[in-house]
Amino acid sequence: MSSATIKDVAKLAGVSPSTVSRVLSQHPKISPATVRKVKEAMETLGYHPNIMAKSLVSKSTQTLGLVLPRSAEELFINPFFSEVLRGMLAYANTAKYDLLMSSAHSQQEELEAVNRMVMGRRVDGIILMAPRKSDPIVDRLREHDFPFVLLGRSVDYDDVLCVNNDNRKAAYDATNHLIEQGHTRIGYVSGPPDLVVSEDRLAGYREALAEANLPCNREWLVGTEILEKSGFHAISLVMNLPERPTAFVIADDVVAFGLIRELYQAGLSVPQDVSIVSFNNIVMSELSNPPISTIDIGIYHLGYLTVQQLIRKISGEAITQPQITVPHRLIVRGSSVRSHK
Amino acid sequence: MSSATIKDVAKLAGVSPSTVSRVLSQHPKISPATVRKVKEAMETLGYHPNIMAKSLVSKSTQTLGLVLPRSAEELFINPFFSEVLRGMLAYANTAKYDLLMSSAHSQQEELEAVNRMVMGRRVDGIILMAPRKSDPIVDRLREHDFPFVLLGRSVDYDDVLCVNNDNRKAAYDATNHLIEQGHTRIGYVSGPPDLVVSEDRLAGYREALAEANLPCNREWLVGTEILEKSGFHAISLVMNLPERPTAFVIADDVVAFGLIRELYQAGLSVPQDVSIVSFNNIVMSELSNPPISTIDIGIYHLGYLTVQQLIRKISGEAITQPQITVPHRLIVRGSSVRSHK
DNA sequence: AAAATACTTGAAAACGTTATCATATGCCGT
DNA sequence: ACGGCATATGATAACGTTTTCAAGTATTTT
């Protein structure tokens, strides 16, 4: 039951394939009568254009590539990912684009996947998530002048499209909030250290402390992976220090969840003994006990705008602002304010 | 900078395009010397095959379609989705398949997306998530004899491929666990009512109650959407009844989170006043306070096996078992056991 | 040593579209 | 009424692969 081709439609409608193609692409100079005939024929045959053939000649696939970074395991478990994907799909959908996803377990596979997509002309543009410092793939795509957009900040070039938060400022705000609550010993639990975002946030944290003339003890810097479990031991180490922090800025809500639980088991409670501010404002941060104070970074928007920028680039629209910053805002909840001091 | 074609490679290597194609597809009868020459040429030209052209003639795209249901908003916010996607991508990756995602806001769009993918020969097979009772898309794909797999149970046909849990038994187990803890008034908070899975779980819940000769009060059945917020009001209603439940089976961990918080705000605590068992075992259910007792349904596996089945079907392998059931297991945590009775 | 057989390569036709160019028809101005 | 000019359609050549068929060369068989 192989599907009908443009020729079948042409034959049934009594016109040439060219005419059918013109009807398909809504060519202006075509008589209403013919349009009707052709559409009728398409209907009765259940015709749908073969996208491969179409792409082959028109060189446009209406598809965007999304290669998941090799740290996908971490990302995935985090609701951050589904939310950003939701934003991406939302815009893609309005522009009639689809998303082609590929996952990679190693940098080698990552490069292969990009090559398959890009060089194989399988996608019109590509989205790169969570860039590391100086990513070879970025260089590659830049050389080939292939449309792509970074979800995150570009370290090396300032002409590449990217959509990002002001992570430095966000961490600065988070830290400042804790300072305003009267904390003087504030720790930091970071994400994967080679991610650009981790670096930026650490900088903002440091800046806020410096500005308030507060100490930034190396021992209070927990360098955990984004997965919640890995940080556990580190946390107990920190909390057993003679001079232990009374508050933490945490790079991710999921990590915060783990931390709260860990502290609870150690007999410490949030926010009475330790205050907490984290990042992302995932749905469950509001439902936690206590609810988690967090920086809402507009994840959905991040995804939405990323795709919007990419599609603009592909359509050849002039891009006035290659680097977009999505605003963040601090949401204060129970984890960082003690009801009765 | 348009990329090199197979002809360019052929010219540089001094052979015919056919030969290059044969090298590409690892044809057996081709001399080692030629292979070397051709590979060299491909290397220097940075050649990558054009997948569109390849698919056009070979009629295989190495791509699987995933159309997100119109209730995607709900699904997405739930970590369930990223986990199942992770499993899907993992297997797809090993088999060198990519995933083409499309989101739909209405049933109309859903059908369009499937048509674009299937009739446009853009994918080799398609994954359908969270099927509703008697889905027209299933009928359609069946008619066309197009490879597809259901993540969930097929209500109407027993020859369609599907990967599922024994949701009836899972709910039965969850309910039984609460009964064993001594509860006699057990409520149920369900997911979207038109989903097959909701129906199955409700049945299991009822069965367990009936078997234990316990009442199944209609007023204790909270029909919430899967999003955590919607259930709030309903819950307060239930808890204000003269004869209120002392335990709940909850269709989803995220809903459980919301419920615990809501109860807490009403001055009730878990598990002292109300016990809870839910479904999915998302990462955060372990990190909750108290940790949530839940049925682990093997989400990752669900996704992994779904793609495995689909690819088997596509490859024409004989499928002995069209319907696969992924085992579940009850994980007892703090939300359902009172430390000191 | 001739014939049969195996192995390796090339030429050309397909796959289902779009796009360019040419052609036929009807209409207008003079 | 006739050359010119829109307007609507058709023929044909791409697009970059794979695949079938045939042919050329090397190797074996009798």
Side-chain angles (χ1 to χ4, degrees):
Chain A
M1 173 70 49
S2 79
S3 31
T5 79
I6 209 171
K7 288 184 185 173
D8 301 325
V9 175
K11 197 177 291 175
L12 182 61
V15 297
S16 76
S18 325
T19 305
V20 178
S21 171
R22 279 187 266 255
V23 171
L24 240 32
S25 51
Q26 312 204 27
H27 192 97
K29 315 193 160 180
I30 197 120
S31 83
T34 328
V35 171
R36 204 178 37 71
K37 266 194 311 188
V38 170
K39 287 203 166 164
E40 221 163 62
M42 296 198 306
E43 192 70 31
T44 63
L45 288 177
Y47 170 78
H48 281 264
N50 181 316
I51 314 221
M52 295 298 163
K54 178 175 175 150
S55 304
L56 182 56
V57 42
S58 71
K59 275 147 176 31
S60 127
T61 61
Q62 292 291 110
T63 305
L64 269 23
L66 178 62
V67 175
L68 298 181
R70 45 194 187 290
S71 53
E73 305 283 314
E74 299 161 12
L75 253 184
F76 254 127
I77 265 181
N78 200 306
F80 170 88
F81 177 74
S82 18
E83 184 66 6
V84 80
L85 189 58
R86 196 168 70 88
M88 288 178 180
L89 279 169
Y91 191 87
N93 187 245
T94 69
K96 299 267 175 228
Y97 273 78
D98 290 327
L99 239 54
L100 188 68
M101 290 188 45
S102 193
S103 80
H105 290 142
S106 63
Q107 175 145 27
Q108 177 61 20
E109 276 187 16
E110 203 173 329
L111 193 63
E112 269 173 28
V114 170
N115 273 338
R116 270 209 315 269
M117 288 185 176
V118 174
M119 311 295 291
R121 300 288 157 186
R122 195 141 180 232
V123 298
D124 297 343
I126 211 162
I127 301 163
L128 260 29
M129 287 186 69
R132 319 250 158 176
K133 299 172 201 160
S134 75
D135 195 325
I137 296 186
V138 171
D139 298 334
R140 187 71 182 279
L141 292 171
R142 234 170 138 272
E143 272 171 34
H144 281 263
D145 198 32
F146 192 86
F148 73 99
V149 58
L150 247 53
L151 183 42
R153 184 167 70 86
S154 167
V155 194
D156 307 314
Y157 312 100
D158 49 301
D159 60 334
V160 310
L161 262 49
C162 49
V163 179
N164 198 17
N165 298 111
D166 186 343
N167 280 303
R168 199 202 45 73
K169 180 64 161 51
Y172 176 91
D173 291 349
T175 312
N176 240 356
H177 166 64
L178 291 172
I179 295 174
E180 281 167 9
Q181 299 293 309
H183 293 281
T184 54
R185 298 196 305 277
I186 302 172
Y188 179 78
V189 183
S190 103
D194 56 334
L195 250 41
V196 178
V197 47
S198 303
E199 195 172 70
D200 291 351
R201 288 184 182 166
L202 186 59
Y205 158 80
R206 285 209 158 104
E207 198 173 320
L209 290 184
E211 212 169 78
N213 277 317
L214 291 176
C216 176
N217 194 329
R218 273 191 71 102
E219 290 175 308
W220 301 341
L221 260 44
V222 181
T224 171
E225 290 297 304
I226 222 164
L227 253 170
E228 76 297 337
K229 300 202 177 179
S230 346
F232 280 11
H233 294 310
I235 280 298
S236 1
L237 284 181
V238 174
M239 294 314 287
N240 285 330
L241 290 173
E243 278 249 297
R244 67 194 194 186
T246 61
F248 280 99
V249 174
I250 306 180
D252 185 277
D253 283 337
V254 181
V255 179
F257 263 80
L259 188 61
I260 292 177
R261 172 118 201 99
E262 178 76 356
L263 290 168
Y264 178 81
Q265 289 180 334
L268 297 168
S269 74
V270 176
Q272 286 74 25
D273 302 305
V274 180
S275 282
I276 275 176
V277 178
S278 65
F279 282 84
N280 286 5
N281 191 26
I282 64 174
V283 180
M284 270 165 287
S285 61
E286 188 181 354
L287 305 174
S288 165
N289 201 356
I292 300 179
S293 294
T294 190
I295 302 273
D296 186 329
I297 59 171
I299 306 181
Y300 179 89
H301 260 87
L302 234 30
Y304 191 89
L305 293 175
T306 300
V307 171
Q308 186 176 64
Q309 282 288 84
L310 183 54
I311 290 182
R312 279 194 181 142
K313 173 76 176 183
I314 292 170
S315 322
E317 280 181 47
I319 296 189
T320 50
Q321 183 89 6
Q323 325 247 343
I324 291 186
T325 302
V326 176
H328 62 264
R329 71 179 212 283
L330 172 69
I331 299 181
V332 177
R333 299 204 185 99
S335 73
S336 66
V337 286
R338 308 179 203 180
S339 328
H340 317 285
K341 185 73 172 278
Chain B
M1 175 70 47
S2 78
S3 30
T5 79
I6 208 172
K7 288 183 185 172
D8 301 325
V9 176
K11 197 177 292 175
L12 182 60
V15 297
S16 77
S18 327
T19 304
V20 177
S21 171
R22 279 188 265 253
V23 171
L24 240 31
S25 50
Q26 313 202 28
H27 194 97
K29 314 193 160 181
I30 197 119
S31 82
T34 331
V35 170
R36 204 178 37 72
K37 266 194 312 189
V38 170
K39 286 204 166 163
E40 220 163 62
M42 296 198 305
E43 192 68 33
T44 64
L45 288 177
Y47 170 79
H48 281 264
N50 181 316
I51 313 221
M52 296 297 163
K54 176 176 177 149
S55 305
L56 182 56
V57 42
S58 70
K59 273 144 177 32
S60 128
T61 62
Q62 292 291 111
T63 305
L64 269 24
L66 177 62
V67 175
L68 298 181
R70 45 194 184 290
S71 54
E73 306 282 316
E74 298 162 11
L75 253 185
F76 254 126
I77 265 182
N78 201 306
F80 169 88
F81 177 74
S82 16
E83 184 66 6
V84 80
L85 190 58
R86 195 168 70 90
M88 288 178 179
L89 280 169
Y91 191 87
N93 186 245
T94 68
K96 298 268 176 229
Y97 274 77
D98 291 327
L99 237 54
L100 188 67
M101 291 188 46
S102 193
S103 80
H105 291 141
S106 63
Q107 175 146 27
Q108 177 62 18
E109 277 187 15
E110 202 172 329
L111 193 63
E112 270 174 28
V114 170
N115 273 338
R116 269 209 315 269
M117 287 185 178
V118 175
M119 312 295 290
R121 301 288 156 186
R122 193 136 182 238
V123 298
D124 296 343
I126 210 161
I127 301 163
L128 260 31
M129 286 187 69
R132 320 249 158 176
K133 300 171 200 162
S134 74
D135 195 323
I137 295 186
V138 171
D139 298 333
R140 187 71 181 280
L141 292 172
R142 237 173 80 90
E143 274 172 33
H144 283 263
D145 198 31
F146 192 86
F148 73 100
V149 58
L150 247 53
L151 183 42
R153 184 167 69 86
S154 168
V155 193
D156 307 314
Y157 313 100
D158 50 302
D159 59 336
V160 311
L161 261 48
C162 49
V163 178
N164 198 16
N165 298 111
D166 185 344
N167 280 302
R168 198 203 47 71
K169 179 64 162 50
Y172 176 90
D173 291 348
T175 312
N176 241 356
H177 166 63
L178 291 171
I179 295 173
E180 282 167 7
Q181 300 293 309
H183 294 278
T184 55
R185 298 196 305 276
I186 302 173
Y188 179 78
V189 183
S190 103
D194 56 335
L195 251 40
V196 178
V197 47
S198 305
E199 197 173 68
D200 291 350
R201 288 184 181 166
L202 186 59
Y205 158 81
R206 285 208 157 104
E207 198 173 318
L209 291 184
E211 211 168 80
N213 277 316
L214 291 176
C216 176
N217 194 329
R218 273 192 69 103
E219 292 174 307
W220 301 341
L221 261 43
V222 181
T224 170
E225 290 298 302
I226 220 164
L227 253 171
E228 78 297 335
K229 300 202 177 178
S230 346
F232 280 9
H233 295 310
I235 280 299
S236 0
L237 285 180
V238 174
M239 294 314 289
N240 285 331
L241 290 173
E243 278 249 297
R244 68 193 194 188
T246 61
F248 281 100
V249 175
I250 306 179
D252 184 278
D253 284 337
V254 181
V255 179
F257 263 81
L259 188 62
I260 292 178
R261 172 119 201 99
E262 177 77 356
L263 290 168
Y264 176 81
Q265 288 179 335
L268 297 168
S269 75
V270 177
Q272 286 74 25
D273 302 305
V274 181
S275 282
I276 275 176
V277 178
S278 64
F279 282 85
N280 286 5
N281 191 27
I282 64 175
V283 180
M284 270 166 286
S285 60
E286 187 182 354
L287 305 175
S288 164
N289 200 357
I292 300 179
S293 295
T294 190
I295 302 272
D296 186 330
I297 59 171
I299 306 181
Y300 179 89
H301 260 88
L302 234 29
Y304 191 90
L305 293 176
T306 301
V307 170
Q308 184 176 65
Q309 281 289 85
L310 184 52
I311 291 181
R312 278 193 183 144
K313 173 76 175 183
I314 292 170
S315 322
E317 280 180 47
I319 296 190
T320 51
Q321 182 89 5
Q323 324 246 345
I324 291 186
T325 302
V326 176
H328 62 265
R329 72 181 212 282
L330 172 68
I331 298 182
V332 177
R333 299 204 185 100
S335 73
S336 67
V337 287
R338 309 180 204 180
S339 328
H340 317 284
K341 185 75 169 280

